Amino acid sequence: MTLTAPPAVTQVIDVGLGPVSIQDVVDVARHGHGVNLTAEARAEMARTRRRIEDLAADPRPVYGVSTGFGALATRHIPPHLRTQLQRSLIRSHAAGSGPEVEREVVRALMLLRLSTLATGRTGVRVEVAQAYADLLTAGITPVVHEYGSLGCSGDLAPLAHIALAVTGEGTVRTADGRLLDSADALAEHGLTPVVLAEKEGLALINGTDGMLGQLALAVTDLDHLLKLADIAAAMSVEGLLGTDRVFAADLQALRPHPGQAAAAANMARLLADSPIVASHAGPEDTRVQDAYSLRCAPQVAGGARDTVEHARTVAHRELASAVDNPVVTLDGRVESNGNFHGAPVAYVLDFLAIVAADVASISERRTDRFLDVARNHGLPPFLADDPGVDSGLMIAQYTQAAIVSELKRLAAPASVDSIPSSAMQEDHVSMGWSGARKLRRAVDGLTRVLSIEILTAARGIDLRSPLLPAAGTGAVVRALREMVPGPGTDRFLAPEIEQAAALAASGALVAAAETAIGALQ
């Protein structure tokens, strides 16, 4: 299955014997990069395929090569039925239901399955792996559905929908978003459907690629959002007339968590030389200490950072894995194993959903302080222009609170659940795919919560005029003001919240701060 006329792609990454990186996953999934199978990978796949073909000719049954699957593994399948066996496996396992999964998730999943195929440990033919490379490079994305994976024996249903597409069945989306039958889309790009041989159907669906791809994307998103959380916290400290003294490096060193130190350093730099902070830093300020949501911002954001780092470590280990069952070992044995169980990935997906909920929770508490005259130190109620006539940002906080409540529900772990399947052969499953799906919603919710805090804090800072903010926080306010007006009478608020969320998600707000004060940690 080869491309007769390669489509225009901006860049191509190599997929070989070693792991792809998290950045490779992002580049292929989000930025449309194509892929190239290395010569070393092709040679290793060809070598191990010969071992599978030898076993296929052996009269003794070998699981995954000449037998049925799962609870049906006891049946020996004669050679003339093995093509049908592979086709039936893929068709029956492509049983997903519900809405379409996002294009970037499917592309990440495809790349990661290709990466495992390229190790040579699965025993598939080179042309099968090339089929995945061709689909990615052509921008053809199989339709995968929300429900169907239990996160054990691999992300079976999602992976089966992709395998179905390379055989010319099922539906796909083209690069321009058209929904086509797979056979028609392949024909448009000069591609020929694959006919699967022994072991290949199983190799295409036995992997943690769906949950791992979403983990890689989430880690990337949270790296950005935790910088944004530090910006939001610094803006709130400034707008609420808080102190920056608690962010001092020597105080953080007394509790040497690396994430906490990084978050505090970011907040200190963002508030450096702030005229607003300086205006109340003398002995006339009678407040002893700020509320926890301000004072403990580095501890919460720092704990979140350290959790992301743990998740990144798990992701790197999984990216370096060759997950299949059975697997072809380096010395040529074909062995059954349990490496497809998603538990290690499922746990950190759940951890990150907890992180997203808690970072959002402390953000909402800071927003609420701005709106309450008993706690906002001289600002108008709800930051309204004419309180009573105007409601200001009252309901923006309601929206935040609704999202935070949802995030708390999404933080309930999926990985502690298990529903037996396959006639009790698969009697403990990870539910990692479910954990990944709820984490994606949590990341979106966190983005929106932080954007509302920044929207609120920016108005609070503006209302401190003629006092000016620090260079870092001021740059963020100016970037926001390019899209969202400052204080005034009540306006249609929903579009402003969406504009702030778009700026937050795009990286524009973090970029504005970093342009002013340098890279954040």
Side-chain angles (χ1 to χ4, degrees):
M1 182 175 182
T2 57
L3 286 167
T4 55
V9 292
T10 54
Q11 294 185 44
V12 174
I13 70 160
D14 286 334
V15 178
L17 297 177
V20 295
S21 68
I22 289 176
Q23 188 59 51
D24 289 335
V25 174
V26 174
D27 286 341
V28 171
R30 289 189 171 156
H31 307 313
H33 286 21
V35 296
N36 171 63
L37 275 173
T38 67
E40 294 80 5
R42 292 172 181 275
E44 182 63 11
M45 283 188 283
R47 185 182 74 82
T48 55
R49 181 61 198 177
R50 289 192 290 272
R51 175 61 177 150
I52 294 298
E53 289 171 353
D54 289 343
L55 290 172
D58 195 312
R60 293 171 297 179
V62 178
Y63 176 68
V65 177
S66 53
T67 70
F69 310 114
L72 303 176
T74 56
R75 181 179 173 185
H76 181 257
I77 308 298
H80 72 279
L81 291 177
R82 290 178 190 169
T83 297
Q84 179 182 336
L85 171 67
Q86 304 303 314
R87 184 165 52 242
S88 295
L89 175 69
I90 299 304
R91 285 173 170 172
S92 65
H93 284 55
S97 183
E100 287 184 38
V101 172
E102 304 86 356
R103 180 176 187 267
E104 68 176 25
V105 171
V106 180
R107 285 182 62 83
L109 193 160
M110 293 168 69
L111 173 66
L112 294 171
R113 184 66 339 210
L114 173 61
S115 181
T116 285
L117 300 179
T119 65
R121 306 278 62 80
T122 70
V124 304
R125 292 168 296 158
V126 172
E127 50 262 46
V128 175
Q130 185 62 47
Y132 278 61
D134 289 344
L135 257 64
L136 285 166
T137 303
I140 298 172
T141 306
V143 171
V144 172
H145 298 280
E146 179 80 14
Y147 305 110
S149 175
L150 300 180
C152 201
S153 291
D155 287 314
L156 289 174
L159 284 162
H161 280 275
I162 292 170
L164 193 68
V166 301
T167 68
E169 298 188 35
T171 53
V172 299
R173 294 277 180 187
T174 58
D176 58 4
R178 289 176 296 138
L179 185 66
L180 291 180
D181 288 338
S182 175
D184 294 336
L186 296 178
E188 272 192 11
H189 290 81
L191 303 173
T192 303
V194 168
V195 177
L196 299 176
E198 290 93 346
K199 175 69 172 63
E200 291 178 334
L202 201 57
L204 297 183
I205 63 175
N206 246 314
T208 58
D209 310 290
M211 63 186 90
L212 176 59
Q214 290 172 91
L215 175 60
L217 294 170
V219 165
T220 301
D221 290 336
L222 288 168
D223 283 342
H224 165 72
L225 288 175
L226 291 177
K227 292 180 183 179
L228 191 69
D230 293 345
I231 291 170
M235 292 175 69
S236 290
V237 167
E238 193 169 42
L240 289 166
L241 302 184
T243 179
D244 62 349
R245 295 195 306 274
V246 296
F247 306 142
D250 60 345
L251 293 176
Q252 309 309 314
L254 297 174
R255 193 188 194 194
H257 293 286
Q260 178 180 323
N266 284 345
M267 294 174 199
R269 289 177 55 221
L270 285 158
L271 291 169
D273 302 318
S274 166
I276 296 177
V277 171
S279 72
H280 60 92
E284 67 277 4
D285 188 353
T286 59
R287 282 173 292 161
V288 176
Q289 55 190 5
D290 291 326
Y292 285 8
S293 60
L294 303 176
R295 188 172 13 133
C296 302
Q299 284 73 21
V300 173
R305 269 181 173 75
D306 293 341
T307 304
V308 171
E309 283 307 307
H310 171 61
R312 194 189 323 276
T313 297
V314 172
H316 285 154
R317 291 170 183 159
E318 196 73 2
L319 288 167
S321 303
V323 176
D324 191 16
N325 181 48
V327 69
V328 184
T329 63
L330 289 170
D331 62 3
R333 302 185 337 271
V334 176
E335 295 283 2
S336 183
N337 66 91
N339 284 339
F340 50 73
H341 198 291
V345 180
Y347 296 152
V348 294
L349 290 164
D350 281 338
F351 297 164
L352 294 181
I354 294 170
V355 160
D358 202 43
V359 174
S361 178
I362 197 171
S363 171
E364 182 275 331
R365 289 291 80 206
R366 292 190 294 260
T367 300
D368 184 66
R369 297 188 75 80
F370 271 108
L371 306 182
D372 181 1
V373 292
R375 295 177 290 148
N376 68 14
H377 303 289
L379 295 172
F382 303 104
L383 307 186
D385 185 63
D386 184 4
V389 174
D390 293 315
S391 295
L393 297 181
M394 178 193 295
I395 307 303
Q397 183 266 333
Y398 284 34
T399 300
Q400 251 193 339
I403 296 170
V404 169
S405 183
E406 174 68 11
L407 293 180
K408 291 174 182 177
R409 290 189 290 272
L410 293 172
S415 58
V416 297
D417 190 23
S418 179
I419 296 180
S421 56
S422 193
M424 292 299 288
Q425 178 72 2
E426 298 165 10
D427 59 352
H428 185 276
V429 297
S430 78
M431 304 306 295
W433 173 271
S434 298
R437 298 307 294 160
K438 68 185 181 68
L439 177 58
R440 283 184 68 80
R441 291 191 290 276
V443 167
D444 177 71
L446 175 59
T447 304
R448 295 175 183 280
V449 169
L450 292 174
S451 68
I452 291 173
E453 182 186 359
I454 287 172
L455 188 74
T456 306
R459 184 178 286 200
I461 289 169
D462 284 342
L463 290 171
R464 298 295 181 189
S465 180
L467 292 173
L468 296 175
T473 54
V476 178
V477 174
R478 289 190 296 275
L480 181 68
R481 291 289 169 254
E482 292 179 5
M483 299 293 295
V484 179
T489 57
D490 283 356
R491 304 180 292 265
F492 181 20
L493 196 51
E496 296 189 6
I497 292 173
E498 290 305 305
Q499 287 167 336
L503 288 170
S506 72
L509 299 180
V510 171
E514 292 186 326
T515 298
I517 65 170
L520 297 172
Q521 298 183 51

